[in-house]
Amino acid sequence: AQRVTQPEKLLSVFKGAPVELKCNYSYSGSPELFWYVQYSRQRLQLLLRHISRESIKGFTADLNKGETSFHLKKPFAQEEDSAMYYCALSRPPNSGYALNFGKGTSLLVTP
Amino acid sequence: EPEVTQTPSHQVTQMGQEVILRCVPISNHLYFYWYRQILGQKVEFLVSFYNNEISEKSEIFDDQFSVERPDGSNFTLKIRSTKLEDSAMYFCASSEDRLWSPEAFFGQGTRLTVV
């Protein structure tokens, strides 16, 4: 069975501080992992995906297969980063690209 | 920028009634999805649809649920006889047909309240 765990429901940091949102997964095959973000009153949108190894809005995430983790990091948090962050796992193409979401972490960046 | 649109934004229905939630996916996308989020819980996958048929469905997607693409633009989710526990935010999403990691574009959601 596949599972995505985000252990923190709420994470509060000061502006300029580093932030790390944790995500662990369990899946026996080769997963594809994503971070989706939902800003206040906006729709869910893709932040980044592990396969493209990109940095978006200063966020990065590295897939660690040994620790089965895909933590989201940013060295200097900004107030506009306050949002709900969801880690999600997708199985290989023949699964219809269904996303299995974690419960989400609410990030609050305070001045 | 193209968006997935969902109507209505909020629907209240009586238990036992049928509801149809509507979605217009992004026009060149070929995969369509429905997800739901019960208040305070995580976003859960319901069903994916490709090439005019269901490609995958979750355990939640039982006989009470059905999906349809009645024309070239709409994608609907029907709940045949609603229960109180169907109250949730329902999200439609669509994505391109890619071999790896297609980005799912989500609609704003329809809040369904069953009374």
Side-chain angles (χ1 to χ4, degrees):
Chain A
Q2 56 172 316
R3 190 165 58 243
V4 177
T5 304
Q6 292 180 253
E8 302 134 333
K9 200 170 177 178
L10 172 66
L11 187 62
S12 182
V13 301
F14 289 111
K15 178 182 168 182
V19 64
E20 180 180 69
L21 290 90
K22 292 186 168 44
C23 173
N24 288 90
Y25 68 91
S26 63
Y27 178 60
S28 56
S30 294
E32 295 183 33
L33 284 144
F34 306 79
W35 278 97
Y36 278 80
V37 62
Q38 189 171 29
Y39 300 101
S40 180
R41 301 185 189 283
Q42 293 188 29
R43 60 190 69 204
L44 264 169
Q45 57 187 280
L46 178 68
L47 181 61
L48 50 78
R49 66 195 102 183
H50 90 269
I51 203 164
S52 53
R53 297 181 149 273
E54 56 200 346
S55 171
I56 303 291
K57 300 185 179 184
F59 284 96
T60 58
D62 290 317
L63 179 61
N64 185 323
K65 289 188 178 179
E67 295 182 359
T68 59
S69 68
F70 188 56
H71 303 327
L72 183 68
K73 300 177 186 179
K74 185 169 181 176
F76 307 105
Q78 302 300 314
E79 288 178 71
E80 55 266 29
D81 295 329
S82 296
M84 195 74 182
Y85 290 81
Y86 296 94
C87 183
L89 178 156
S90 177
R91 287 165 287 152
N94 60 3
S95 72
Y97 300 119
L99 289 168
N100 185 352
F101 285 90
K103 289 187 176 182
T105 298
S106 178
L107 175 65
L108 179 63
V109 182
T110 53
Chain B
E1 190 173 324
E3 289 183 334
V4 175
T5 56
Q6 289 185 243
T7 54
S9 56
H10 191 187
Q11 177 142 5
V12 181
T13 189
Q14 286 201 323
M15 193 168 55
Q17 294 296 304
E18 174 184 284
V19 293
I20 297 177
L21 309 184
R22 301 180 193 281
C23 169
V24 179
I26 294 172
S27 62
N28 64 335
H29 286 183
L30 297 177
Y31 272 93
F32 315 117
Y33 314 84
W34 283 101
Y35 290 84
R36 79 170 185 192
Q37 187 174 30
I38 295 171
L39 189 64
Q41 298 186 25
K42 67 174 190 173
V43 178
E44 300 173 290
F45 168 74
L46 292 178
V47 65
S48 60
F49 192 86
Y50 175 74
N51 201 24
N52 284 318
E53 60 182 23
I54 290 173
S55 54
E56 189 177 7
K57 59 183 181 180
S58 71
E59 292 172 353
I60 303 167
F61 194 87
D62 61 21
D63 293 343
Q64 291 285 75
F65 292 89
S66 62
V67 289
E68 200 177 30
R69 189 148 161 84
D71 51 42
S73 59
N74 290 284
F75 179 53
T76 61
L77 174 70
K78 184 195 288 187
I79 308 175
R80 210 156 282 123
S81 176
T82 49
K83 308 187 203 59
L84 294 176
E85 52 265 38
D86 294 327
S87 295
M89 189 72 127
Y90 287 80
F91 296 104
C92 174
S94 68
S95 66
E96 296 176 300
D97 186 5
R98 286 176 50 179
L99 191 58
W100 296 106
S101 294
E103 174 179 355
F105 290 80
F106 284 81
Q108 286 277 43
T110 293
R111 181 170 298 285
L112 176 66
T113 303
V114 182
V115 297

